[in-house]
């Protein structure tokens, strides 16, 4: 059982446990003990009597105190009902299991998963939970669920704010330039995949290819093209994968991790911190960061507006220089400690930007392979928007061109909405928070059940359960968050990298479609972890059949 100091348990079970303890104390047979004292201890009688009386008063006081606490806490009955969802159902049919529990006992329920109590809310309370960051904290919830709580004190509580700033300041304003830098990687990797499938006559492992492609692109973004080589790329990939494992992304799939979550955490962390983070990331990538930023002088970010920065510097610099400027001292230098912190932020960038985007890209391409009727219109649009395209594929695809590919964008938004997100966005209570008719005790994890929001008739109309990309033809874009659309979260902490994520998914999809038609071997894919569809990619083997020209028929 986890200790109350970790804050992982709600208050009420602890109170009940202590009340039980008091009840058993109250039955202590004080009188028989007194009579059993030997006669020779008669002169000690007053001491013993006094001690026992004090003890009895102490117990009474405790009972009184507990009682008054309980009666003060007349709210106890307002805690949400605790529902037992059998493990088998929770991990194999989570959507149905949680939805029916909420339907029966909702709108908020408590459920134990992997030894931890979690509160789940339905679509009617979702907005309140995600938008009220004072009572439902993104930072506490995310740090805890990703096993990254130790980073909060290290950064004086600013880890997530720093990560957000790194992306909103260092990536989004220069996305046009980034697309120009990384599109060649997407084009080359797509060609490699198509060639591999054609030569072998078999399907390819799409996730492995896309993971490598995005790792390479993010290495260019983070450290610059001049730092891309086989070793650095391999370490970047392994780092992204290791952190994904450490944060528990594959935990649902392992019976050992489900049965012994704490032991699993310790073993996995020790192994991967040692093998990958220290031995690879710190040995290979950190020296590059050191070399890039320690020898330079920067204009500190807080003294520079984007206009004051040299135009070349703000658009061409790799992300690591932007982060360095976040920590530059008045002399324009980055201290040793700050360099280590910059390395930690680059590490976190690799994690947030590679794994999940690759996993979701697989969803989009697999869905397109299953719904081939959408391919001709997307290809047609590509030939209109692409800056340069010929029979060898796309030669140039700018950010502006990708932004204008709205038919593909509608398809992506619909895949995001319908792919079956469940417990994908999290918050933790910062106090005992009233929610609906209930109270959620302080320091507890709380999740909206995203599938209910994504298929809500109130928000999406009668056809909410159908796959209908056309409804987004006039917008909103797939990167636009809203209360009916949660793949990127909601509120002030909504994913700051979502525009880059969608842009990358479009690049890989279009680079494949320009010269091939995707098809899943055996005609279907398999959802590897239905409780974590955004982070664990679906399984399947992808055949890529080359096309001769964009007007080639698509075999449905
Ligand atoms: C398809 C890919 C992606 C998905 C589905 C996704 C989803 C999410 C979600 C659900 C959150 C939490 C939001 C909340 O709780 O309200 C989040 C946070 C975050 N995401 Fe993403 N994300 C993706 C790609 C990216 C990329 C490419 C980057 C970086 C360039 C990024 C950077 C971040 C950061 C830094 C946070 C932490 C929140 C913050 O500091 O504001 N994400 N993401």
């Amino acid at each position: 059982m986890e200790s109350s100091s970790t804050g992982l348990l709600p208050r009420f079970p602890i109170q009940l446990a202590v009340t039980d303890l008091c009840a058993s104390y109250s039955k202590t047979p004080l009188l028989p003990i007194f009579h059993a004292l030997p006669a020779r201890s008669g002169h000690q009688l007053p001491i013993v009597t006094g001690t026992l009386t004090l003890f009895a008063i102490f117990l009474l006081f405790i009972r009184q105190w507990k009682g008054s606490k309980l009666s003060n806490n007349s709210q106890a009955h307002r805690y949400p009902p605790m529902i037992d969802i059998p493990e088998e159902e929770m991990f194999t049919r989570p959507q149905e299991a949680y939805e029916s529990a909420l339907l029966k006992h909702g709108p908020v329920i408590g459920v134990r998963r992997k030894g931890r109590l979690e509160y789940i809310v339905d679509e009617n309370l979702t907005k309140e939970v995600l938008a009220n960051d004072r009572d439902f904290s993104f930072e506490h919830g995310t740090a805890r669920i990703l096993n990254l709580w130790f980073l909060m004190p290290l950064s004086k509580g600013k880890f997530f704010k720093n990560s957000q700033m790194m992306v909103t300041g260092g990536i989004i304003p220069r996305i046009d330039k980034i697309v120009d830098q990384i599109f060649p990687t997407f084009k080359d990797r797509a060609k490699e995949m198509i060639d591999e499938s054609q030569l072998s006559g078999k399907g390819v492992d799409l996730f492995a290819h896309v993971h490598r492609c995005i790792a390479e692109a993010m290495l260019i973004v983070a450290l610059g093209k001049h730092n891309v080589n086989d070793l650095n790329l391999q370490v970047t990939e392994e780092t992204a994968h290791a952190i994904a494992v450490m944060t528990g992304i594959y935990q649902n799939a392992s019976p050992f991790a489900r049965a012994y979550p704490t032991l699993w955490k310790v073993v996995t962390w020790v192994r991967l911190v040692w093998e990958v983070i220290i031995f690879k990331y710190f040995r290979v990538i950190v020296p590059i960061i050191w070399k890039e930023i320690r020898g330079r002088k920067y204009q500190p970010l807080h003294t520079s507006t984007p206009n004051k920065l040299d135009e070349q510097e703000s658009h061409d610099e790799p992300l690591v220089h932007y982060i360095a400027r976040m920590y530059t001292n008045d002399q324009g230098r980055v201290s040793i400690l700050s360099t280590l912190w910059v390395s930690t932020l680059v590490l976190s960038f690799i994690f947030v930007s590679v794994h999940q985007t690759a996993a979701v890209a697989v969803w989009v391409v697999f869905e397109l392979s299953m719904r081939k009727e959408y391919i001709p219109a997307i290809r047609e649009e590509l030939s209109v928007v692409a800056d340069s395209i010929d029979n060898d594929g796309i030669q140039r695809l700018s950010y502006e061109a990708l932004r204008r590919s709205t038919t593909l964008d509608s398809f992506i938004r619909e895949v995001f909405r319908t792919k079956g997100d469940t417990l994908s966005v999290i918050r933790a209570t910062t106090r005992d928070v009233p929610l609906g008719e209930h109270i959620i005790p302080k320091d507890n994890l709380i999740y909206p059940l995203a599938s209910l929001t994504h298929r809500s008739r109130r928000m999406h109309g009668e056809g909410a359960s159908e796959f209908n990309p056309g409804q987004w033809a006039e917008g909103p874009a797939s990167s636009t968050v809203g209360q009916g659309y949660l793949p990127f979260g909601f509120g002030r902490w909504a994913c700051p990298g979502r525009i880059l994520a969608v842009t990358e998914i479009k690049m890989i999809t279009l680079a494949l479609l320009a010269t091939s038609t995707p098809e899943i071997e055996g005609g279907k894919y398999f959802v590897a972890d239905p409780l974590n569809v955004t982070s664990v990619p679906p399984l399947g083997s992808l055949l890529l059949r080359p096309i001769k020209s964009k007007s080639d028929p698509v075999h449905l």
Side-chain angles (χ1 to χ4, degrees):
M1 187 184 270
E2 278 155 305
S3 89
S4 58
S5 63
T6 62
L8 292 183
L9 285 177
R11 280 199 187 146
F12 73 97
I14 297 167
Q15 281 166 353
L16 292 181
V18 179
T19 315
D20 282 354
L21 210 63
C22 289
S24 60
Y25 277 157
S26 69
K27 288 175 202 140
T28 307
L30 288 177
L31 223 58
I33 292 176
F34 180 76
H35 282 292
L37 287 170
R40 65 187 159 80
S41 58
H43 62 284
Q44 292 174 345
L45 207 58
I47 300 172
V48 173
T49 314
T51 309
L52 288 175
T53 310
L54 278 177
F55 188 49
I57 290 172
F58 175 65
L59 287 182
L60 276 173
F61 173 76
I62 291 276
R63 278 191 79 183
Q64 193 70 20
W65 179 69
K66 283 299 353 160
S68 72
K69 245 199 133 190
L70 274 181
S71 58
N72 282 346
N73 206 344
S74 54
Q75 316 281 29
H77 68 279
R78 291 182 59 193
Y79 291 126
M82 300 297 298
I83 308 302
D84 178 34
I85 300 184
E87 200 176 277
E88 164 70 11
E89 280 182 41
M90 180 182 282
F91 291 106
T92 55
R93 301 186 305 113
Q95 207 169 308
E96 295 85 338
Y98 280 100
E99 281 182 14
S100 65
L102 276 170
L103 194 68
K104 207 160 157 201
H105 308 279
V108 46
I109 55 175
V111 179
R112 282 200 163 272
R113 177 166 63 124
K114 290 181 275 185
R116 173 161 58 199
L117 176 64
E118 298 168 337
Y119 289 97
I120 319 293
V121 299
D122 75 6
E123 73 277 26
N124 298 316
L125 296 177
T126 291
K127 188 178 171 201
E128 198 172 336
V129 170
L130 295 184
N132 172 2
D133 193 54
R134 208 165 36 114
D135 292 335
F136 300 102
S137 161
F138 163 84
E139 289 163 288
H140 292 159
T142 306
R144 205 186 289 167
I145 202 70
L146 293 183
N147 302 321
L148 296 177
W149 45 268
F150 63 92
L151 282 177
M152 297 304 275
L154 274 182
S155 63
K156 299 200 188 101
K158 290 197 178 137
F159 173 67
F160 289 106
K161 289 190 188 84
N162 291 172
S163 306
Q164 192 174 43
M165 186 175 169
M166 157 181 87
V167 177
T168 50
I171 302 276
I172 304 305
R174 53 186 208 100
I175 188 117
D176 304 60
K177 183 79 193 177
I178 288 179
V179 170
D180 289 344
Q181 286 171 335
I182 65 179
F183 178 67
T185 302
F186 284 82
K187 193 181 129 206
D188 294 348
R189 296 284 171 199
K191 185 170 180 331
E192 248 174 53
M193 265 189 267
I194 297 166
D195 289 349
E196 183 187 318
S197 176
Q198 198 185 3
L199 278 175
S200 67
K202 290 191 189 145
V204 298
D205 179 345
L206 181 65
F207 180 69
H209 281 275
V210 175
H211 192 272
R212 192 168 182 79
C213 170
I214 295 181
E216 183 176 332
M218 293 305 102
L219 188 58
I220 297 173
V221 171
L223 302 181
K225 184 131 183 80
H226 58 287
N227 281 313
V228 178
N229 59 36
D230 284 350
L231 175 66
N232 295 350
L233 176 55
Q234 190 193 334
V235 172
T236 306
E237 267 203 279
E238 285 184 33
T239 304
H241 179 70
I243 306 180
V245 173
M246 285 157 72
T247 55
I249 277 172
Y250 295 110
Q251 207 177 346
N252 291 340
S254 152
F256 170 70
R258 281 177 355 209
Y260 306 101
T262 311
L263 182 61
W264 174 87
K265 241 181 249 178
V266 174
V267 173
T268 311
W269 272 71
V270 169
R271 188 173 63 81
L272 291 176
V273 165
W274 183 250
E275 278 177 13
V276 182
I277 308 298
I278 294 178
F279 243 69
K280 296 193 172 160
Y281 184 75
F282 270 82
R283 201 170 50 82
V284 177
I285 304 291
V286 173
I288 298 173
I289 297 174
W290 185 279
K291 201 168 129 217
E292 285 283 337
I293 67 178
R294 288 281 294 157
R296 282 176 61 139
K297 269 190 111 175
Y298 293 95
Q299 188 181 0
L301 208 56
H302 61 272
T303 63
S304 58
T305 61
N307 296 341
K308 273 175 73 186
L309 278 175
D310 176 53
E311 187 70 6
Q312 252 339 75
E313 190 173 62
S314 65
H315 285 283
D316 277 346
E317 66 177 8
L319 181 66
V320 69
H321 292 299
Y322 179 86
I323 308 176
R325 284 195 283 114
M326 283 164 64
Y327 298 98
T328 302
N329 59 26
D330 292 341
Q331 287 76 50
R333 301 274 179 205
V334 183
S335 70
I336 293 180
L337 263 184
S338 294
T339 306
L340 288 176
W341 187 243
V342 172
S343 305
T344 309
L345 285 178
V346 172
L347 183 73
S348 103
F349 172 74
I350 291 174
F351 165 60
V352 292
S353 65
V354 176
H355 182 93
Q356 211 169 16
T357 312
V360 180
V362 173
W363 272 101
V364 172
V365 176
F366 278 12
E367 277 293 298
L368 205 49
S369 319
M370 304 296 290
R371 302 174 188 275
K372 288 207 184 60
E373 64 275 22
Y374 293 96
I375 291 180
I378 293 172
R379 246 187 218 142
E380 185 56 39
E381 178 180 72
L382 171 65
S383 67
V384 174
V385 300
D387 305 81
S388 165
I389 186 168
D390 56 28
N391 277 352
D392 289 335
I394 314 164
Q395 302 311 320
R396 180 163 188 260
L397 200 53
S398 62
Y399 174 65
E400 183 50 27
L402 290 160
R403 218 179 47 79
R404 287 194 291 128
S405 53
T406 50
T407 308
L408 173 59
D409 195 74
S410 314
F411 185 85
I412 293 176
R413 187 171 172 105
E414 195 61 345
V415 173
F416 276 27
R417 181 181 77 89
T418 55
K419 70 187 181 303
D421 289 351
T422 49
L423 309 180
S424 47
V425 185
I426 189 164
R427 300 291 184 262
T429 44
T430 56
R431 62 181 180 100
D432 288 4
V433 189
L435 185 65
E437 292 181 353
H438 295 289
I439 288 192
I440 314 297
K442 185 181 172 184
D443 280 334
N444 276 270
L445 299 175
I446 182 158
Y447 296 80
L449 186 61
S451 57
L452 284 174
T453 294
H454 287 156
R455 286 189 289 99
S456 155
R457 287 195 187 157
R458 179 168 60 78
M459 292 183 242
H460 299 287
E462 283 306 304
S465 302
E466 282 149 34
F467 186 87
N468 174 18
Q471 64 183 304
W472 312 117
E474 304 298 318
S478 59
S479 57
T480 305
V481 297
Q483 60 169 308
Y485 181 72
L486 308 176
F488 293 109
F490 183 74
R492 70 164 284 212
W493 291 104
C495 175
R498 56 193 189 271
I499 292 181
L500 176 62
V502 170
T503 303
E504 289 179 283
I505 293 171
K506 284 183 176 177
M507 282 194 270
I508 196 67
T509 310
L510 292 176
L512 289 173
L513 282 189
T515 56
S516 73
T517 299
E519 195 175 314
I520 306 257
E521 234 173 22
K524 60 176 179 217
Y525 64 81
F526 172 69
V527 180
D529 181 356
L531 196 47
N532 198 358
V533 297
T534 321
S535 302
V536 182
L539 300 174
S541 198
L542 191 73
L543 290 159
L544 291 157
R545 303 201 185 284
I547 54 166
K548 288 188 189 66
S549 81
K550 71 175 175 52
S551 51
D552 263 13
V554 174
H555 299 289
L556 302 179

